[in-house]
Amino acid sequence: MDRRRMTAIGVVVAAAGLTAAVTLPSFAGENAAPRAGGPAGANATDGVAPEVLDAMSRDLSLSREQAVRRLAAERRATGTLGRLRAELGAAYGGSWLSADGATLTVAVADPAQADRVRAAGAVPKEVDRGVRELDAVKGRLDSAGGRATPDIAGWYVDVATNSVVVLAKPGAEEAGRRFAAATGAPARAVRVTTSTESPRPLFDVRGGDAYFINNAGRCSVGFSVVGGFVTAGHCGQPGDRTTGANRVAQGTFAASSFPGDDWAFVQVNNQWTPQGVVNDFNGGTVPVNGSTEAPVGASICRSGSTTGTRCGVVQAKNATVNYPEGTVTGLTRTNVCAEPGDSGGAWLSGDQAQGVTSGGSGDCTAGGLTFFQPVNEILQRNNLTLVTAESRAAPAEPPAGGDATAPPATAAPTAPPAGDSSVCTGDVSRSGAIAAGRSQAQPDGRWFVADGGAQSACLDAPDGAQLVLELQRWTGTGFRTVARAATADGVARLEAEGSAGAYRYRVTALSGSGSYTLAFSAS
């Protein structure tokens, strides 16, 4: 092996005045040559990129000609609306286009302004409230957003009905009305509707995605864990800050080891949600459902932000590599290629997490080999919990007609099954069965409301299994872990102090499987 080419698949540097052998990938079409026939836009598409027309044809069931006409009508409507909004002032109640995009309707809170709207070529609609008043009503709900339960998906200004709409999950409509009333919003201005929506933040942490270190070097996300993600240690040191591929502030390196090992843990801020998936760089994702180690000879695929997804086989385990920066032991050797910037990326065998990219030789043009740091060692060394596709499922909806604020925890305690020898006791007891690499939410896949103060829980694990118990609080955008305990001698005990709010427990099996019992109490 040519030692001169054996390097960590290091960060791609993206700073002024610095160069690297591999550059950041450009956006599609960024350096495209002009189209034949003259300057871009001088054709039947009326200046609209063909890719946009193709997407509209696909998603709106339009021909290219219909898409061009619709966009032209929308441009005209936008110009008309800009003038009308300035002229109507406080009387402006919002506007909307018809389903085919051909008709612009403008709401007016002053009937005397209807003729002005008609003169501009739009259709007037008389309403009770101007859009400024609707925005003020919504502002009241925004200010009280932290008091919304998980069964309220959100709220928005609906100019077509001249109201602020609160979206409540089935059976939680009354909770939505109570929430709106508590803000002091006028009842006539708020409309509560049933919705099955389960919104989540758009800044997802996904395996394989790019991230930047101190706004300079680039690496790839390995796997999501509770609170952040794991990646390669040579990508950053504790305290280094990261931004996502969208250049939004993301997190901080909380732990790192290189050389010797090649792993790191990045703790993300509350704008980012770790997801149990890996980017397949083909417009989709693949699920991560555990971390069972694959044998030598097994097929394996790698995902990284420079070269996308590449596959091969496991050639050897417990390999030692002498990088120029030092020796790293305990790596897994593969015949999969990788290039700078792929560092830290995810390795999967089927749906099972295997490790994060360390380094190798060659490239994805001539071919090469690559080593990865096994993920289970990273999890165990740092007491981390892998996020799986199942463990990020949305909170279950309450039974139809149920009170969304009535916590399951206030129900009569569930007695353990006859003959149960569980060492755990509490006001509420729940039993379940779990497999390695899986997670479950309790009680009953739902959540409960606590008034604030002390909370305690005890988890009795299956024989030989290693489980993690987490107490999670609803933040308004998702559940965030506030306390955590791992099993020792088959039992995990957890105690925490918390403010009033919606909570749940999450049970995750790091290894082993079988039946468990969870007992908990809240003041």
Side-chain angles (χ1 to χ4, degrees):
M1 183 180 302
D2 185 352
R3 282 286 307 280
R4 292 171 298 175
R5 301 211 50 210
M6 178 64 68
T7 60
I9 304 298
V11 298
V12 171
V13 178
L18 300 179
T19 61
V22 180
T23 59
L24 292 176
S26 62
F27 290 106
E30 185 177 46
N31 299 310
R35 295 186 181 89
N43 50 44
T45 63
D46 196 25
V48 182
E51 294 84 357
V52 173
L53 297 178
D54 289 342
M56 291 180 67
S57 297
R58 181 194 65 215
D59 298 336
L60 298 178
S61 299
L62 301 172
S63 67
R64 275 199 167 201
E65 292 73 18
Q66 289 172 326
V68 170
R69 288 197 297 270
R70 177 167 183 141
L71 289 170
E74 290 172 353
R75 283 196 295 269
R76 290 192 296 271
T78 300
T80 299
L81 181 58
R83 295 190 299 272
L84 280 176
R85 185 163 190 167
E87 294 172 0
L88 294 174
Y92 175 69
S95 58
W96 58 95
L97 287 166
S98 58
D100 60 3
T103 303
L104 174 65
T105 300
V106 178
V108 290
D110 179 1
Q113 300 295 333
D115 288 342
R116 186 189 296 271
V117 172
R118 292 190 189 94
V123 176
K125 179 179 179 179
E126 296 180 12
V127 295
D128 295 329
R129 289 166 288 275
V131 75
R132 293 179 187 173
E133 184 178 347
L134 291 175
D135 288 343
V137 172
K138 179 181 176 292
R140 287 178 174 269
L141 273 65
D142 291 342
S143 297
R147 298 202 297 270
T149 72
D151 284 325
I152 298 175
W155 46 90
Y156 63 93
V157 172
D158 183 16
V159 293
T161 62
N162 198 231
S163 65
V164 175
V165 175
V166 175
L167 301 172
K169 293 186 177 181
E173 295 84 359
E174 184 57 34
R177 284 186 281 271
R178 287 199 299 267
F179 166 67
T183 69
R188 290 179 298 175
V190 178
R191 186 166 58 92
V192 177
T193 64
T194 302
S195 171
T196 58
E197 296 176 14
S198 295
R200 57 180 173 80
L202 296 180
F203 299 156
D204 286 343
V205 176
R206 306 181 306 175
D209 281 355
Y211 70 94
F212 296 89
I213 306 96
N214 296 330
N215 291 316
R218 172 170 62 88
C219 274
S220 300
V221 173
F223 294 98
S224 293
V225 296
V226 173
F229 63 88
V230 294
T231 187
H234 69 263
C235 289
Q237 300 178 353
D240 286 346
R241 297 190 177 277
T242 69
T243 54
N246 54 5
R247 294 292 190 171
V248 173
Q250 181 189 65
T252 304
F253 276 80
S256 178
S257 179
F258 179 80
D261 299 298
D262 196 1
W263 55 255
F265 166 51
V266 174
Q267 189 169 25
V268 299
N269 61 43
N270 60 13
Q271 288 184 292
W272 292 80
T273 301
Q275 300 287 348
V277 297
V278 171
N279 188 344
D280 67 1
F281 290 94
N282 192 32
T285 59
V286 293
V288 177
N289 286 320
S291 58
T292 301
E293 187 176 342
V296 171
S299 62
I300 194 165
C301 295
R302 174 196 58 73
S303 181
S305 60
T306 298
T307 58
T309 300
R310 305 289 176 133
C311 300
V313 297
V314 176
Q315 293 184 323
K317 297 186 179 183
N318 196 23
T320 295
V321 178
N322 289 320
Y323 293 127
E325 299 86 352
T327 300
V328 177
T329 62
L331 300 178
T332 297
R333 176 190 174 99
T334 77
N335 64 354
V336 184
C337 70
E339 296 181 6
D342 287 329
S343 273
W347 289 75
L348 280 171
S349 179
D351 62 354
Q352 299 296 303
Q354 299 298 307
V356 301
T357 300
S358 175
S361 65
D363 55 35
C364 289
T365 299
L369 61 88
T370 307
F371 299 87
F372 67 79
Q373 170 82 51
V375 71
N376 284 332
E377 179 184 350
I378 307 175
L379 300 176
Q380 293 164 6
R381 290 277 296 275
N382 294 278
N383 198 25
L384 298 171
T385 301
L386 182 71
V387 174
T388 64
E390 179 182 88
S391 68
R392 285 302 308 175
E397 298 169 2
D403 183 350
T405 62
T410 61
T414 300
D420 181 21
S421 58
S422 171
V423 299
C424 294
T425 59
D427 294 338
V428 177
S429 178
R430 293 290 188 269
S431 297
I434 196 167
R438 299 287 183 172
S439 297
Q440 294 179 352
Q442 292 286 7
D444 308 321
R446 297 186 69 242
W447 47 275
F448 62 95
V449 172
D451 293 332
Q455 298 197 48
S456 62
C458 175
L459 177 67
D460 190 357
D463 290 342
Q466 183 180 6
L467 270 56
V468 171
L469 177 64
E470 296 168 281
L471 176 64
Q472 299 182 319
R473 185 178 188 277
W474 178 255
T475 65
T477 58
F479 282 99
R480 178 164 290 275
T481 299
V482 296
R484 185 175 185 272
T487 53
D489 296 326
V491 178
R493 300 185 186 276
L494 182 153
E495 294 186 357
E497 291 282 337
S499 57
Y503 291 84
R504 73 177 184 185
Y505 284 97
R506 187 168 73 169
V507 180
T508 300
L510 299 182
S511 62
S513 61
S515 299
Y516 66 86
T517 299
L518 170 67
F520 62 94
S521 303
S523 59

Coordinates of all heavy atoms in Angstrom, one line a residue, residues 208-284:
G208 N -24.9 11.6 6.4 CA -24.4 11.9 5.1 C -24.4 13.3 4.7 O -23.7 13.8 3.8
D209 N -25.2 14.1 5.3 CA -25.3 15.5 5.0 C -24.0 16.3 5.3 O -23.3 15.9 6.3 CB -26.5 16.2 5.7 CG -27.8 15.9 5.1 OD1 -27.9 15.3 4.0 OD2 -28.9 16.3 5.7
A210 N -23.8 17.3 4.6 CA -22.6 18.2 4.9 C -22.8 19.0 6.1 O -23.9 19.4 6.4 CB -22.3 19.0 3.7
Y211 N -21.7 19.3 6.8 CA -21.7 20.4 7.8 C -20.3 21.0 7.8 O -19.4 20.5 7.2 CB -22.0 19.8 9.2 CG -20.9 18.9 9.8 CD1 -20.0 19.5 10.7 CD2 -20.9 17.6 9.5 CE1 -19.0 18.7 11.2 CE2 -19.9 16.8 10.1 CZ -19.0 17.3 10.9 OH -18.0 16.5 11.5
F212 N -20.3 22.3 8.3 CA -19.0 23.0 8.2 C -18.5 23.3 9.6 O -19.3 23.5 10.6 CB -19.3 24.4 7.5 CG -19.7 24.2 6.1 CD1 -21.0 24.1 5.7 CD2 -18.7 24.2 5.1 CE1 -21.4 23.9 4.4 CE2 -19.1 24.0 3.7 CZ -20.4 23.8 3.4
I213 N -17.2 23.3 9.8 CA -16.5 23.5 11.0 C -15.9 24.8 11.1 O -15.0 25.1 10.3 CB -15.4 22.4 11.3 CG1 -16.1 21.0 11.1 CG2 -14.8 22.5 12.7 CD1 -15.9 20.4 9.7
N214 N -16.3 25.7 12.1 CA -15.7 27.0 12.2 C -15.8 27.8 10.9 O -14.9 28.6 10.6 CB -14.3 27.0 12.7 CG -14.2 26.4 14.1 OD1 -15.2 26.5 14.9 ND2 -13.1 25.7 14.4
N215 N -16.9 27.5 10.1 CA -17.1 28.2 8.9 C -16.0 28.1 7.9 O -15.8 28.9 7.0 CB -17.4 29.7 9.1 CG -18.7 30.0 9.8 OD1 -19.7 29.4 9.5 ND2 -18.7 30.9 10.8
A216 N -15.3 26.9 8.0 CA -14.2 26.7 7.0 C -14.2 25.3 6.5 O -14.7 25.1 5.4 CB -12.8 27.0 7.8
G217 N -13.7 24.3 7.2 CA -13.7 23.0 6.7 C -15.1 22.3 6.6 O -16.0 22.7 7.3
R218 N -15.2 21.3 5.8 CA -16.4 20.6 5.6 C -16.2 19.1 5.9 O -15.2 18.5 5.4 CB -17.0 20.8 4.2 CG -18.2 19.9 3.8 CD -18.8 20.3 2.5 NE -17.9 20.1 1.4 CZ -17.8 19.0 0.7 NH1 -18.4 17.9 1.0 NH2 -16.9 18.9 -0.4
C219 N -17.2 18.5 6.6 CA -17.2 17.1 6.8 C -18.7 16.6 6.6 O -19.5 17.4 6.1 CB -16.7 16.7 8.2 SG -14.9 16.5 8.4
S220 N -18.9 15.3 6.9 CA -20.2 14.8 6.7 C -20.8 14.2 8.1 O -20.0 13.7 8.9 CB -20.2 13.6 5.7 OG -19.8 14.1 4.4
V221 N -22.1 14.3 8.2 CA -22.8 13.8 9.4 C -22.7 12.2 9.4 O -22.9 11.6 8.3 CB -24.2 14.2 9.5 CG1 -25.0 13.5 10.6 CG2 -24.3 15.7 9.6
G222 N -22.4 11.6 10.5 CA -22.5 10.2 10.6 C -23.9 9.7 10.9 O -24.7 9.5 10.0
F223 N -24.2 9.6 12.2 CA -25.6 9.2 12.6 C -26.1 10.1 13.6 O -25.4 10.6 14.5 CB -25.6 7.7 13.1 CG -25.2 6.7 12.0 CD1 -23.9 6.3 11.9 CD2 -26.2 6.3 11.1 CE1 -23.6 5.3 10.9 CE2 -25.8 5.4 10.2 CZ -24.6 4.9 10.1
S224 N -27.4 10.3 13.6 CA -28.1 11.0 14.6 C -28.1 10.3 15.9 O -28.4 9.0 16.0 CB -29.5 11.3 14.2 OG -29.6 12.2 13.1
V225 N -27.8 11.0 17.0 CA -27.9 10.4 18.4 C -28.8 11.4 19.2 O -29.0 12.5 18.7 CB -26.6 10.2 19.0 CG1 -25.8 9.1 18.3 CG2 -25.8 11.5 19.1
V226 N -29.2 11.0 20.3 CA -30.0 11.9 21.2 C -29.1 13.1 21.5 O -28.1 13.0 22.1 CB -30.4 11.2 22.5 CG1 -31.1 12.2 23.4 CG2 -31.4 10.1 22.1
G227 N -29.6 14.3 21.1 CA -28.9 15.5 21.3 C -27.9 16.0 20.3 O -27.4 17.1 20.4
G228 N -27.7 15.2 19.2 CA -26.8 15.6 18.2 C -26.5 14.5 17.2 O -27.3 13.8 16.8
F229 N -25.2 14.4 16.8 CA -24.8 13.4 15.9 C -23.3 13.0 16.1 O -22.5 13.8 16.7 CB -25.0 13.9 14.4 CG -24.1 15.1 14.0 CD1 -22.9 14.9 13.5 CD2 -24.7 16.4 14.1 CE1 -22.1 16.0 13.1 CE2 -24.0 17.5 13.7 CZ -22.7 17.3 13.2
V230 N -22.9 11.8 15.6 CA -21.6 11.4 15.7 C -20.9 11.5 14.3 O -21.6 11.5 13.3 CB -21.5 9.9 16.2 CG1 -22.0 9.8 17.6 CG2 -22.3 9.0 15.3
T231 N -19.6 11.7 14.3 CA -18.9 12.0 13.1 C -17.4 11.6 13.4 O -17.1 11.0 14.4 CB -19.0 13.4 12.7 OG1 -18.4 13.6 11.4 CG2 -18.4 14.4 13.7
A232 N -16.5 12.0 12.5 CA -15.1 11.6 12.6 C -14.4 12.6 13.6 O -14.7 13.8 13.6 CB -14.4 11.6 11.3
G233 N -13.5 12.0 14.4 CA -12.7 12.9 15.3 C -11.8 13.9 14.7 O -11.5 14.9 15.2
H234 N -11.2 13.5 13.5 CA -10.3 14.4 12.9 C -11.0 15.6 12.2 O -10.3 16.5 11.8 CB -9.4 13.7 11.8 CG -10.2 13.3 10.6 ND1 -10.7 12.0 10.4 CD2 -10.5 14.0 9.4 CE1 -11.3 11.9 9.2 NE2 -11.2 13.1 8.6
C235 N -12.3 15.6 12.3 CA -13.1 16.8 11.7 C -13.1 18.0 12.7 O -13.2 19.1 12.2 CB -14.5 16.4 11.4 SG -14.7 15.3 10.0
G236 N -13.0 17.8 13.9 CA -13.0 18.9 14.9 C -12.6 18.5 16.3 O -12.6 17.3 16.6
Q237 N -12.4 19.5 17.1 CA -12.0 19.4 18.5 C -13.1 20.0 19.4 O -13.8 20.8 18.9 CB -10.6 20.0 18.8 CG -9.5 19.5 17.9 CD -8.2 20.3 18.2 OE1 -8.2 21.2 18.9 NE2 -7.1 19.8 17.6
P238 N -13.1 19.5 20.6 CA -14.1 20.1 21.6 C -14.1 21.6 21.6 O -13.0 22.2 21.7 CB -13.7 19.5 22.9 CG -13.1 18.2 22.6 CD -12.3 18.4 21.3
G239 N -15.3 22.2 21.4 CA -15.4 23.6 21.4 C -15.6 24.2 20.0 O -16.1 25.3 19.8
D240 N -15.1 23.4 19.0 CA -15.3 23.9 17.6 C -16.8 24.0 17.3 O -17.6 23.1 17.7 CB -14.7 22.9 16.6 CG -13.1 23.0 16.6 OD1 -12.6 24.0 17.1 OD2 -12.5 22.1 16.0
R241 N -17.2 25.0 16.5 CA -18.6 25.2 16.2 C -18.9 24.7 14.8 O -18.1 24.8 13.9 CB -19.0 26.7 16.4 CG -18.8 27.2 17.8 CD -19.4 28.6 18.0 NE -19.2 29.0 19.4 CZ -20.1 28.7 20.3 NH1 -21.1 27.9 20.0 NH2 -19.9 29.1 21.6
T242 N -20.1 24.3 14.6 CA -20.6 23.8 13.3 C -21.8 24.5 12.8 O -22.6 25.1 13.6 CB -20.9 22.3 13.4 OG1 -22.2 22.1 14.1 CG2 -19.8 21.5 14.0
T243 N -21.9 24.6 11.5 CA -23.1 25.1 10.8 C -23.5 24.0 9.8 O -22.7 23.2 9.4 CB -22.8 26.4 10.0 OG1 -21.7 26.2 9.1 CG2 -22.5 27.5 10.9
G244 N -24.8 23.9 9.5 CA -25.3 22.9 8.6 C -25.0 23.2 7.2 O -24.4 24.2 6.8
A245 N -25.4 22.3 6.3 CA -25.2 22.6 4.9 C -25.9 23.8 4.4 O -25.5 24.4 3.4 CB -25.8 21.4 4.1
N246 N -26.9 24.3 5.1 CA -27.6 25.5 4.8 C -27.0 26.8 5.4 O -27.5 27.9 5.4 CB -29.1 25.5 5.2 CG -29.2 25.1 6.7 OD1 -28.3 25.0 7.4 ND2 -30.5 24.9 7.1
R247 N -25.8 26.5 6.1 CA -25.0 27.6 6.8 C -25.7 28.2 8.0 O -25.4 29.3 8.4 CB -24.6 28.7 5.8 CG -23.7 28.2 4.7 CD -22.3 27.9 5.3 NE -21.3 27.7 4.2 CZ -20.0 27.5 4.5 NH1 -19.6 27.6 5.7 NH2 -19.2 27.3 3.5
V248 N -26.7 27.5 8.5 CA -27.4 27.9 9.8 C -26.6 27.3 10.9 O -26.2 26.1 10.9 CB -28.9 27.4 9.8 CG1 -29.5 27.7 11.1 CG2 -29.7 28.1 8.7
A249 N -26.4 28.1 12.0 CA -25.7 27.7 13.2 C -26.3 26.3 13.7 O -27.5 26.2 13.8 CB -25.8 28.7 14.3
Q250 N -25.5 25.4 13.9 CA -25.9 24.0 14.2 C -25.6 23.5 15.6 O -26.4 23.0 16.3 CB -25.4 23.1 13.1 CG -25.8 21.6 13.2 CD -25.0 20.8 12.2 OE1 -23.8 20.7 12.3 NE2 -25.7 20.2 11.2
G251 N -24.3 23.5 15.9 CA -23.9 22.9 17.2 C -22.4 23.1 17.5 O -21.8 24.0 16.9
T252 N -22.0 22.3 18.5 CA -20.6 22.4 19.0 C -20.0 21.0 19.2 O -20.8 20.1 19.7 CB -20.6 23.2 20.3 OG1 -21.2 24.5 20.2 CG2 -19.1 23.4 20.8
F253 N -18.8 20.8 18.9 CA -18.1 19.5 19.2 C -18.0 19.4 20.7 O -17.4 20.2 21.4 CB -16.7 19.5 18.6 CG -16.7 19.1 17.2 CD1 -17.0 20.0 16.1 CD2 -16.3 17.8 16.8 CE1 -16.9 19.6 14.8 CE2 -16.3 17.3 15.5 CZ -16.6 18.2 14.5
A254 N -18.7 18.4 21.2 CA -18.7 18.2 22.7 C -17.6 17.2 23.1 O -17.2 17.2 24.2 CB -20.1 17.7 23.1
A255 N -17.2 16.3 22.2 CA -16.2 15.3 22.5 C -15.6 14.9 21.2 O -16.2 14.9 20.1 CB -16.8 14.1 23.2
S256 N -14.3 14.5 21.2 CA -13.5 14.2 20.0 C -12.3 13.4 20.4 O -11.7 13.6 21.4 CB -13.1 15.4 19.2 OG -12.4 15.1 18.1
S257 N -12.0 12.4 19.6 CA -10.8 11.6 19.8 C -10.1 11.2 18.5 O -10.7 10.6 17.6 CB -11.1 10.2 20.5 OG -10.0 9.5 20.7
F258 N -8.9 11.7 18.3 CA -8.0 11.5 17.1 C -6.6 12.0 17.4 O -6.5 13.2 17.9 CB -8.6 12.1 15.9 CG -7.8 11.9 14.6 CD1 -7.9 10.7 13.9 CD2 -7.0 12.9 14.2 CE1 -7.1 10.5 12.8 CE2 -6.2 12.7 13.0 CZ -6.3 11.5 12.3
P259 N -5.5 11.3 17.1 CA -5.6 9.9 16.6 C -5.8 8.9 17.8 O -6.2 9.4 18.9 CB -4.2 9.7 16.0 CG -3.3 10.7 16.8 CD -4.2 11.9 17.1
G260 N -5.5 7.6 17.6 CA -5.8 6.6 18.6 C -7.2 6.0 18.2 O -7.3 4.9 17.8
D261 N -8.2 6.9 18.2 CA -9.5 6.6 17.7 C -9.8 7.7 16.6 O -9.0 8.6 16.4 CB -10.6 6.6 18.8 CG -10.4 5.6 19.9 OD1 -10.4 4.4 19.5 OD2 -10.2 6.0 21.0
D262 N -11.0 7.6 16.0 CA -11.4 8.6 15.1 C -12.9 8.8 15.2 O -13.6 8.5 14.3 CB -11.0 8.3 13.6 CG -11.0 9.5 12.7 OD1 -11.4 10.6 13.2 OD2 -10.8 9.3 11.5
W263 N -13.3 9.4 16.3 CA -14.7 9.6 16.5 C -15.0 11.0 17.2 O -14.0 11.6 17.8 CB -15.4 8.6 17.4 CG -14.8 8.3 18.7 CD1 -14.0 7.2 19.1 CD2 -14.9 9.1 19.9 NE1 -13.6 7.3 20.4 CE2 -14.1 8.4 20.9 CE3 -15.5 10.3 20.2 CZ2 -14.0 8.9 22.2 CZ3 -15.4 10.8 21.5 CH2 -14.6 10.1 22.5
A264 N -16.2 11.5 17.0 CA -16.5 12.8 17.7 C -18.0 12.8 17.9 O -18.8 12.2 17.2 CB -16.1 14.0 16.9
F265 N -18.5 13.6 18.8 CA -19.9 13.9 19.1 C -20.1 15.4 19.0 O -19.5 16.2 19.7 CB -20.3 13.3 20.5 CG -21.6 13.8 21.0 CD1 -22.8 13.7 20.2 CD2 -21.7 14.4 22.3 CE1 -24.0 14.2 20.7 CE2 -23.0 14.8 22.7 CZ -24.1 14.7 21.9
V266 N -21.1 15.8 18.1 CA -21.5 17.2 18.0 C -22.8 17.3 18.6 O -23.8 16.6 18.3 CB -21.5 17.6 16.5 CG1 -22.1 19.0 16.4 CG2 -20.1 17.5 15.9
Q267 N -22.9 18.2 19.6 CA -24.2 18.5 20.3 C -24.9 19.7 19.5 O -24.3 20.7 19.4 CB -24.0 18.9 21.7 CG -25.2 19.0 22.6 CD -24.9 19.1 24.0 OE1 -23.8 19.6 24.4 NE2 -25.8 18.7 24.9
V268 N -26.1 19.5 19.1 CA -26.8 20.5 18.2 C -27.7 21.3 19.1 O -28.1 21.0 20.2 CB -27.6 19.8 17.1 CG1 -26.7 19.0 16.2 CG2 -28.7 18.9 17.7
N269 N -28.0 22.5 18.5 CA -28.9 23.4 19.2 C -30.4 23.1 19.0 O -30.6 22.1 18.2 CB -28.6 24.9 18.9 CG -28.8 25.2 17.4 OD1 -29.8 24.7 16.7 ND2 -27.9 25.9 16.8
N270 N -31.3 23.8 19.6 CA -32.7 23.4 19.5 C -33.4 23.7 18.1 O -34.6 23.5 18.0 CB -33.5 24.0 20.6 CG -33.5 25.5 20.7 OD1 -33.1 26.1 19.7 ND2 -33.9 26.1 21.8
Q271 N -32.6 24.3 17.2 CA -33.2 24.5 15.8 C -33.0 23.2 15.0 O -33.6 23.2 13.9 CB -32.4 25.6 15.1 CG -32.8 27.0 15.7 CD -32.1 28.1 14.8 OE1 -30.9 28.2 14.9 NE2 -32.9 28.8 14.1
W272 N -32.3 22.3 15.5 CA -32.0 21.1 14.7 C -32.6 19.8 15.4 O -32.5 19.7 16.6 CB -30.5 20.9 14.5 CG -29.9 22.0 13.6 CD1 -29.6 23.3 14.0 CD2 -29.6 21.9 12.2 NE1 -29.1 23.9 12.9 CE2 -29.1 23.1 11.8 CE3 -29.7 20.9 11.3 CZ2 -28.7 23.4 10.5 CZ3 -29.3 21.1 10.0 CH2 -28.8 22.3 9.6
T273 N -33.1 18.9 14.6 CA -33.8 17.7 15.1 C -33.1 16.5 14.5 O -33.2 16.3 13.3 CB -35.3 17.7 14.7 OG1 -35.9 18.8 15.3 CG2 -35.9 16.4 15.3
P274 N -32.4 15.7 15.3 CA -31.8 14.5 14.8 C -32.8 13.5 14.3 O -33.8 13.2 15.0 CB -31.0 14.0 16.1 CG -30.8 15.2 16.9 CD -32.0 16.0 16.7
Q275 N -32.6 13.0 13.1 CA -33.5 12.0 12.5 C -32.8 10.7 12.3 O -31.7 10.7 11.9 CB -34.1 12.6 11.2 CG -34.9 13.9 11.3 CD -36.2 13.7 12.0 OE1 -36.7 12.6 12.1 NE2 -36.8 14.8 12.3
G276 N -33.6 9.6 12.4 CA -33.0 8.3 12.2 C -33.0 7.9 10.8 O -33.4 6.8 10.4
V277 N -32.4 8.7 9.9 CA -32.3 8.4 8.5 C -30.9 8.8 8.0 O -30.2 9.6 8.6 CB -33.4 9.2 7.7 CG1 -34.8 8.7 8.1 CG2 -33.3 10.7 7.9
V278 N -30.6 8.3 6.8 CA -29.4 8.7 6.1 C -29.7 9.2 4.7 O -30.6 8.6 4.0 CB -28.4 7.5 6.0 CG1 -27.2 7.8 5.1 CG2 -27.9 7.1 7.4
N279 N -29.1 10.3 4.2 CA -29.3 10.8 2.9 C -28.8 9.8 1.9 O -27.7 9.4 1.9 CB -28.6 12.2 2.8 CG -28.9 12.9 1.5 OD1 -29.5 12.4 0.6 ND2 -28.5 14.2 1.5
D280 N -29.7 9.5 0.9 CA -29.3 8.6 -0.1 C -28.7 9.3 -1.4 O -28.3 8.7 -2.4 CB -30.4 7.6 -0.5 CG -31.6 8.3 -1.3 OD1 -31.5 9.5 -1.5 OD2 -32.5 7.6 -1.6
F281 N -28.7 10.6 -1.4 CA -28.2 11.5 -2.4 C -28.9 11.1 -3.8 O -28.3 11.3 -4.8 CB -26.7 11.4 -2.5 CG -26.0 12.1 -1.4 CD1 -25.7 11.4 -0.3 CD2 -25.8 13.4 -1.4 CE1 -25.1 12.0 0.8 CE2 -25.3 14.1 -0.3 CZ -24.9 13.4 0.8
N282 N -30.1 10.6 -3.7 CA -30.9 10.4 -4.9 C -32.3 10.9 -4.7 O -33.3 10.4 -5.2 CB -31.0 8.9 -5.2 CG -31.5 8.6 -6.6 OD1 -31.3 9.4 -7.5 ND2 -32.2 7.5 -6.7
G283 N -32.4 12.0 -3.8 CA -33.7 12.6 -3.6 C -34.5 12.0 -2.4 O -35.6 12.4 -2.2
G284 N -33.9 11.1 -1.7 CA -34.6 10.5 -0.6 C -33.7 10.1 0.6 O -32.5 10.6 0.6

